[in-house]
Amino acid sequence: MAIAGAIVGAFFGGWINDRFGRKPATLLADITFTLGAVVMAAAPNPFVLIFGRLLVGLGVGVASLTAPLYVAEVSPSDVRGFLVSTTVLYITGGQFISYLVNLGFTEVAGTWRWMLGVSGIPAVLQFGVMLFLPESPRWLFRKGRVDEAVSVLEKVYHPEQVENEVQALASSMSTGIGFKNSTKVDWVQMVKGREVRTALAIGIGLQVFQQFVGINTVMYYSPSIMQMAGFTSNQLALSLSLITSGFNALGTIAGMYLIDRIGRRHLAMFSLIGVIFALLVLSASFKLSELSSPSFQIEDSNATCVNFSNSSQTSSWGCVDCLQQGCGFCAAADNVMNIGSCYQLTSKTTCTRQSRTWYSSVCPGKFGWMSIVGLTLYIIFFSPGMGPVPWTVNSEIYPLHLRGVCGGVAAMSNWISNLIVSESFLSLTEAVGEAITFGIFAVIALLALLFVWRFVPETKGLSFEEVERLFVDESNHNIESPDA
């Protein structure tokens, strides 16, 4: 329900940004998120809890496009990528902190209420800080509040640069694409404009590929992936996931350093090459684990899986066959890779009472280390590039008068893709197996690499007005900047 709220929040958040400004949109997101956190923490029943998650999602949806947009519009072009990437750092760093907070509350009475309630604290802090920050100078200029815009620019740029920025803004407004003086969005006119349509296709493509290469699958389901790799202890899996989220935050910091040095386009391509390799490692690790899974023998016991209880031919059957029949594998007590037993799912206690390890969703294997390496490599390569680049590029490539609306559409596509991937991952692994699932992600990552190479422009060091001219110049079919 939270992701559904984020989809709606992102869509309407674009209109809110263009109509009322970046600052009011941020304050609204903070209020909505905080209210949702309070509702969840105090929820007397599941229906109220779901409503609270919807409110949280709405706030996240609005904030997801407003934060990079606001930061981009108040930043000098030479450090814009670095500063926009800080918004991604706060997300990845927040994920790491959330794991620590959740671990800290595991022994506290009313654990889940505390976990949900404290999530509103950052929103309250941001609301307080935002009250003292200025509105985006570019939004102010578009609304005709030139003196206020100049005042903000004077706080950001050197005095000799302010006049150039004002002239560039005036030129952009006079040559902008369509309905530049209107507060209403003509959707038909917007998609008819080739420049806007091209920019929007690139923005949506980046956001969709960011999700479809599997990042939130890795983050949301990293404990499950660890268990699939043979780490059956929930506490151990969660601890390993904490390490994964830590690498994610560190990788984002590396991306902040690189994005204004090697450029958005090249950073994304390097990132995707590494992601493809990491996904192939993950795919191989699960395939090897499947091939090396231990076999089982039939026991004369009521606990034995009924699908095998009347058969004596088990020499070619292993743990994978047991789980595929909807049963559980009870590993040997001395070594989980030795011959075990195939029991009914209801017979877990029969297995654990014998000091044996129980497997119901994944088989033990010798290649758990390989899965950990694959996950770590994935995060190391994804987080510096495909983490910040889609949000940075989407904050740069749209005309001023459509920047909020187009950014909202692109952010909505990100959340829709997020929902599709997160809801389908476990079902997909059950249908075709983990090895093929990660292989599919690798193929999608290859398509993403080709997309970035063919269509995404380099915007490093360019002003917003120079970026807009990249798309106005229809003769440049590769949409390359001079520095690419």
Side-chain angles (χ1 to χ4, degrees):
M1 186 57 69
I3 296 180
I7 293 171
V8 176
F11 180 77
F12 287 102
W15 175 81
I16 293 170
N17 269 274
D18 282 344
R19 182 70 180 86
F20 301 103
R22 297 12 172 177
K23 183 174 179 178
T26 303
L27 295 173
L28 177 63
D30 292 334
I31 293 171
T32 306
F33 188 97
T34 303
L35 181 60
V38 172
V39 170
M40 289 191 300
N45 57 62
F47 298 103
V48 176
L49 180 62
I50 291 172
F51 176 68
R53 286 180 59 80
L54 177 63
L55 290 175
V56 165
L58 289 170
V60 169
V62 175
S64 66
L65 76 107
T66 306
L69 182 60
Y70 175 79
V71 173
E73 291 188 338
V74 299
S75 302
S77 57
D78 57 336
V79 293
R80 188 171 60 233
F82 173 86
L83 294 176
V84 173
S85 297
T86 61
T87 64
V88 180
L89 175 63
Y90 293 141
I91 294 172
T92 57
Q95 289 173 332
F96 178 76
I97 294 173
S98 70
Y99 276 109
L100 293 176
V101 171
N102 289 345
L103 286 173
F105 279 119
T106 52
E107 303 299 327
V108 177
T111 296
W112 66 271
R113 294 186 185 275
W114 282 104
M115 289 179 178
L116 297 175
V118 298
S119 65
I121 294 177
V124 173
L125 295 176
Q126 181 174 266
F127 181 90
V129 172
M130 197 69 195
L131 291 174
F132 299 96
L133 295 179
E135 178 56 83
S136 161
R138 286 171 169 78
W139 184 86
L140 290 170
F141 199 96
R142 181 199 167 202
K143 293 297 182 179
R145 295 157 62 177
V146 178
D147 291 341
E148 293 178 67
V150 172
S151 176
V152 177
L153 289 172
E154 288 174 343
K155 298 176 181 177
V156 177
Y157 291 90
H158 293 296
E160 61 272 14
Q161 294 177 304
V162 174
E163 184 61 31
N164 292 334
E165 285 296 316
V166 172
Q167 290 178 358
L169 280 169
S171 175
S172 176
M173 288 299 296
S174 63
T175 61
I177 306 160
F179 47 90
K180 47 191 169 290
N181 296 320
S182 173
T183 59
K184 296 181 180 180
V185 176
D186 186 337
W187 291 92
V188 175
Q189 188 176 358
M190 183 180 79
V191 297
K192 279 185 177 180
R194 178 177 177 180
E195 298 86 353
V196 178
R197 189 171 67 245
T198 300
L200 190 58
I202 290 171
I204 291 175
L206 284 172
Q207 296 286 27
V208 169
F209 277 124
Q210 184 192 61
Q211 294 299 322
F212 271 69
V213 298
I215 177 57
N216 278 318
T217 293
V218 172
M219 298 310 298
Y220 291 166
Y221 296 109
S222 55
S224 298
I225 293 173
M226 297 296 182
Q227 290 175 338
M228 289 177 184
F231 298 94
T232 56
S233 167
N234 289 333
Q235 186 174 4
L236 175 59
L238 184 60
S239 298
L240 291 171
S241 298
L242 181 63
I243 296 174
T244 300
S245 64
F247 274 115
N248 196 19
L250 291 174
T252 304
I253 295 174
M256 292 168 57
Y257 175 81
L258 294 171
I259 196 166
D260 284 320
R261 287 170 171 78
I262 68 174
R264 288 77 158 131
R265 185 170 181 267
H266 295 153
L267 183 58
M269 292 174 65
F270 171 78
S271 174
L272 285 166
I273 291 172
V275 163
I276 293 169
F277 175 74
L279 287 170
L280 291 176
V281 171
L282 276 169
S283 178
S285 71
F286 283 108
K287 186 61 179 179
L288 291 172
S289 294
E290 178 183 326
L291 294 175
S292 64
S293 68
S295 59
F296 65 85
Q297 63 183 7
I298 298 297
E299 296 182 5
D300 185 14
S301 168
N302 292 331
T304 300
C305 180
V306 294
N307 295 337
F308 298 103
S309 59
N310 295 323
S311 176
S312 58
Q313 298 179 349
T314 63
S315 58
S316 61
W317 291 341
C319 171
V320 174
D321 303 293
C322 177
L323 300 191
Q324 287 178 345
Q325 294 299 318
C327 298
F329 182 77
C330 184
D334 56 340
N335 188 329
V336 295
M337 296 305 298
N338 290 339
I339 297 175
S341 306
C342 186
Y343 287 170
Q344 299 283 2
L345 287 177
T346 55
S347 301
K348 177 180 179 180
T349 54
T350 303
C351 175
T352 55
R353 284 173 182 171
Q354 303 173 46
S355 299
R356 300 165 69 181
T357 305
W358 177 256
Y359 297 85
S360 60
S361 61
V362 63
C363 293
K366 301 176 181 178
F367 298 93
W369 64 270
M370 194 173 178
S371 296
I372 301 301
V373 170
L375 276 176
T376 303
L377 287 174
Y378 182 96
I379 294 299
I380 288 174
F381 282 109
F382 179 94
S383 54
M386 283 303 288
V389 167
W391 295 106
T392 302
V393 171
N394 268 279
S395 70
E396 297 173 323
I397 60 176
Y398 306 119
L400 175 59
H401 52 283
L402 294 173
R403 198 164 290 152
V405 172
C406 290
V409 172
M412 180 182 67
S413 69
N414 183 289
W415 288 109
I416 291 174
S417 302
N418 183 325
L419 180 64
I420 293 172
V421 174
S422 61
E423 290 297 317
S424 63
F425 174 70
L426 292 181
S427 298
L428 190 60
T429 58
E430 291 176 3
V432 300
E434 294 82 8
I436 294 179
T437 298
F438 284 107
I440 292 172
F441 283 142
V443 171
I444 295 174
L446 176 60
L447 295 176
L449 176 62
L450 295 174
F451 175 84
V452 173
W453 171 74
R454 177 63 182 84
F455 297 109
V456 176
E458 182 54 75
T459 58
K460 178 189 70 172
L462 301 181
S463 68
F464 282 108
E465 294 67 39
E466 290 172 324
V467 173
E468 187 173 347
R469 284 196 290 271
L470 289 178
F471 295 94
V472 173
D473 183 10
E474 297 184 17
S475 64
N476 191 344
H477 297 292
N478 289 326
I479 321 178
E480 295 274 2
S481 74
D483 296 332

